[in-house]
Amino acid sequence: MGARPNIDHLKESCGSNQLQHCFKYLFVQEWRANEDFISYIGQKFADVEAKIQRKALLIQESESFGPFRNVAPDAVECMGETQQREQDMLAALISILDLAREGRTEKERHVGLMDLKG
């Protein structure tokens, strides 16, 4: 048989020579990594969302000085641009979370299939 360095590495990592066990080990590891990724992106989402809310309050407070647009037009423009970019980032993070959550279901199905065959 030819060299199979990836299978050999998987067997070594898993601690088994039975491919069924090795692939279940792989799928569980992938599921765990996906869960960690979901948590990480979820935290980034919360951070960006909080930042957007703080900036909205800053804009609101700044407007309490009167026509803020007349006093600091560059600042108003910069805050508006930043706010829009952060809203776009939030939308992108939602898309990433949706994909990762689809991966969660996929990985759970993969692990379940290995349980049925094992």
Side-chain angles (χ1 to χ4, degrees):
M1 260 194 231
R4 295 186 179 138
N6 293 312
I7 295 292
D8 292 341
H9 177 67
L10 181 58
K11 286 178 178 180
E12 185 179 317
S13 296
C14 173
S16 175
N17 284 324
Q18 295 183 21
L19 286 179
Q20 199 68 21
H21 295 152
C22 294
F23 283 108
K24 180 177 180 179
Y25 171 83
L26 175 67
F27 296 146
V28 167
Q29 296 303 312
E30 289 177 348
W31 175 83
R32 188 168 290 132
N34 194 61
E35 290 300 304
D36 291 346
F37 183 73
I38 289 170
S39 294
Y40 176 79
I41 296 300
Q43 184 57 53
K44 292 299 173 192
F45 178 89
D47 293 347
V48 172
E49 189 174 44
K51 190 175 182 182
I52 289 169
Q53 291 171 351
R54 283 191 307 272
K55 183 142 319 164
L57 290 173
L58 176 62
I59 291 169
Q60 186 179 22
E61 286 177 17
S62 298
E63 290 171 346
S64 71
F65 290 112
F68 187 59
R69 187 168 293 286
N70 296 335
V71 177
D74 292 339
V76 170
E77 183 179 341
C78 290
M79 284 193 293
E81 287 174 2
T82 300
Q83 195 76 331
Q84 182 58 55
R85 181 183 44 77
E86 289 170 350
Q87 289 284 358
D88 294 345
M89 288 170 54
L90 207 57
L93 289 172
I94 288 170
S95 295
I96 291 169
L97 278 170
D98 288 345
L99 284 171
R101 288 178 180 135
E102 287 174 20
R104 172 189 282 156
T105 304
E106 174 186 288
K107 298 302 174 198
E108 288 170 352
R109 184 176 57 80
H110 292 167
V111 170
L113 286 173
M114 295 297 106
D115 284 340
L116 291 175
K117 297 186 188 253

